[in-house]
Amino acid sequence: AILAFLASVIFTSLEIPILRRKQAGQNIREEGPKSHYAKAGTPSMGGIAMIGAAIIGAAIGRYYSPQMGAVVIVFVLFGAIGFFDDYLKVVKKNNLGLRAYQKFGLQIIISVAFAVYMAMFSGDGTSVWIPFVNINVDFGIWYIPFIAFVLLAMTNAVNLTDGLDGLATGVTALVSLFFAIAAVTYGASSGAGVFCSALTGACLGFLVYNKNPAKVFMGDTGSLALGGGLAAAAIVMHFELLLPIAGFVYVMEALSVIIQVVSFKLTGKRVFKMAPLHHHFELSGLKEKQVVGIFWGAALIFCIIGLGIL
């Protein structure tokens, strides 16, 4: 974690001037909060530094295994999807980026491939540990669609959480630390635990530059990689059902978008002032730093609850 932190600080400091020279500045949505307009032009695609730092930290950990390799591959591939999307948006100035069907289709392919690997080639079978009752249930043929759904849902939930300076970075640092502690304390996959430790360090190193006022944004490059890597690590540990508990902030962010869309489609009314949820708090009068602090606090509480369940 310490080495990944140092690598992330160094890589991000080197990456920021390169992104500026490439004019890889963030585009701000017109329908977003007006206070965000001042952020236009802030370098994006900073997730590249986080990905590199996390991989270096995990490699130095020396707990190599096929499962750890699968987690790193998922981490990099989801980051690659985000990179191509960011590249089209901020470098090529194509506001649409990847089409929704292209972006989601690639995510589905990776998620299903990982689920097939876990079910048929990992040697771990198709059982899922159920919290609270502490039993393992064999999902059989439903294991592959279930794991693919978990990976897809968590990846996109983290992506939705990335909307304020330091928000997704800080929350993910806490959640990945939770899974690192869980791996060490409860004898889960050592490789996945080392990866989560490295991911924690990489997030904290990036947070040095991503905290408010942010000097760089992670972009979809970072947020998709974080979501994919974190979910894959939890699945390898057989703690997939702890993801919505420790990662409850992600769940609420995603649910707020779903509720908003469904409500507007059915009734023409919005439940929240703006979705995802962090924007609702902003438009309710809270400052950005306050919202981020509240969400970090919530993440910490739910990670502690997760440890209590374990």
Side-chain angles (χ1 to χ4, degrees), residues 176 179-181 183-184 188-198 233 237:
S176 57
F179 282 108
I181 293 171
V184 171
S189 168
S190 298
V194 167
F195 173 80
C196 286
S197 295
M237 295 179 198

Side-chain angles (χ1 to χ4, degrees), residues 18-76:
I18 296 172
L19 293 173
R20 284 178 178 156
R21 284 199 299 273
K22 295 291 184 181
Q23 297 183 331
Q26 179 72 29
N27 296 317
I28 304 299
R29 294 184 306 159
E30 290 184 4
E31 65 271 21
K34 291 182 173 58
S35 60
H36 287 212
Y37 291 171
K39 300 181 182 184
T42 301
S44 188
M45 302 173 70
I48 297 170
M50 273 198 301
I51 292 171
I55 291 173
I56 288 174
I60 291 171
R62 299 177 65 84
Y63 279 87
Y64 306 133
S65 66
Q67 285 88 342
M68 184 180 184
V71 170
V72 172
I73 289 170
V74 169
F75 179 59
V76 172

Side-chain angles (χ1 to χ4, degrees), residues 140-303:
I141 61 172
W142 296 106
Y143 181 82
I144 290 175
F146 170 71
I147 292 300
F149 170 77
V150 169
L151 192 50
L152 280 169
M154 183 54 57
T155 301
N156 287 282
V158 174
N159 184 235
L160 290 170
T161 305
D162 181 33
L164 300 179
D165 295 354
L167 177 55
T169 315
V171 170
T172 304
L174 289 166
V175 178
S176 57
L177 178 61
F178 161 80
F179 282 108
I181 293 171
V184 171
T185 308
Y186 299 99
S189 168
S190 298
V194 167
F195 173 80
C196 286
S197 295
L199 194 62
T200 300
C203 285
L204 292 175
F206 186 73
L207 190 60
V208 172
Y209 300 94
N210 185 235
K211 68 180 185 298
N212 186 274
K215 297 179 178 66
V216 63
F217 299 136
M218 69 173 73
D220 282 3
T221 306
S223 60
L224 291 181
L226 291 182
L230 188 62
I235 291 165
V236 164
M237 295 179 198
H238 298 287
F239 290 155
E240 50 269 274
L241 291 182
L242 288 178
L243 274 168
I245 298 170
F248 190 70
V249 168
Y250 304 137
V251 174
M252 291 305 298
E253 292 275 48
L255 279 177
S256 69
V257 173
I258 295 170
I259 292 169
Q260 187 87 322
V261 171
V262 171
S263 176
F264 189 75
K265 292 284 187 182
L266 295 179
T267 67
K269 296 180 180 180
R270 293 179 172 86
V271 175
F272 304 102
K273 294 182 178 180
M274 185 178 290
L277 188 61
H278 54 260
H279 289 323
H280 172 79
F281 281 94
E282 270 194 296
L283 296 180
S284 296
L286 291 176
K287 294 180 179 179
E288 184 170 346
K289 287 183 179 180
Q290 292 175 316
V291 177
V292 172
I294 290 169
F295 278 53
W296 285 0
L300 178 60
I301 290 169
F302 282 101
C303 285

